[in-house]
Amino acid sequence: MPLSAFHPSVAAWFHERLGAPSPVQERGWPAIRAGGPVLLAAPTGSGKTLAAFLHALDALLQEGAALPDETRVLYVSPLKALGNDVAKNLLAPLREIRERDPALPELRVLVRSGDTPARERAAMQRRAPHVLVTTPESL
C-alpha cells in the first residue's frame, strides 16, 4: 500500500522523516487496513510497530473534528519501560504531523501502569486518551 493512501500530512511526514516504507510496512498496511487479524514478523528495527501505529493514528486523524473523546487504540506492552518508550515515540511524530496541519485533531496518548497515580487514573476517566498504552497487569 503506498503512502498516498494516508492523510497527506501523515504521508508527507513519513516521507520526509523516514523515506520509503519498509517491505513489512508495504505488505502489512493493506492487511491492517482490511481490519482482520494481522501478524507482522520481521527483524527488530524493520518498522513493525510503526506499521501498526501509523495506520491507527492515520485513521484517528482522518476523523477530524468528529473524533470522540474516547480510547480508540489500546497498546498492551509486556514491559512498563517499553510502554513508556512507545508513548514517547508516538508523541514526537504526532506533534510534527500537527505542526504541518493544525486543523488535525490533537490526539491524546497516555500510559497507564500499576504506578500511575490515582489522580492521573481519575483524569483518564474524565477525559479518555485516544491512545492508551498499558501493561497486561494494568489491563
Side-chain angles (χ1 to χ4, degrees):
M1 183 171 103
L3 282 173
S4 61
F6 291 92
H7 185 282
S9 296
V10 173
W13 171 85
F14 188 99
H15 179 72
E16 288 178 12
R17 297 288 274 156
L18 304 169
S22 70
V24 73
Q25 291 164 339
E26 287 181 331
R27 288 192 300 265
W29 284 331
I32 293 167
R33 178 158 284 179
V38 177
L39 173 64
L40 301 177
T44 299
S46 60
K48 297 180 298 286
T49 302
L50 183 58
F53 268 123
L54 194 66
H55 178 270
L57 297 176
D58 182 71
L60 296 175
L61 291 170
Q62 295 225 29
E63 288 192 45
L67 180 65
D69 275 343
E70 63 186 25
T71 300
R72 302 290 289 276
V73 177
L74 176 65
Y75 182 87
V76 181
S77 171
L79 302 171
K80 179 183 156 198
L82 181 58
N84 285 326
D85 285 346
V86 167
K88 286 181 207 168
N89 291 331
L90 285 175
L91 296 176
L94 283 172
R95 184 183 66 252
E96 292 170 6
I97 292 167
R98 279 202 77 238
E99 285 171 358
R100 296 177 157 285
D101 186 353
L104 290 171
E106 184 175 348
L107 300 185
R108 292 181 306 281
V109 178
L110 295 174
V111 176
R112 166 74 163 84
S113 71
D115 296 339
T116 302
R119 64 178 162 60
E120 288 181 29
R121 289 194 302 264
M124 284 181 205
Q125 290 180 333
R126 284 190 302 277
R127 189 164 188 226
H130 297 106
V131 179
L132 178 62
V133 180
T134 190
T135 60
E137 297 82 12
S138 294
L139 182 63

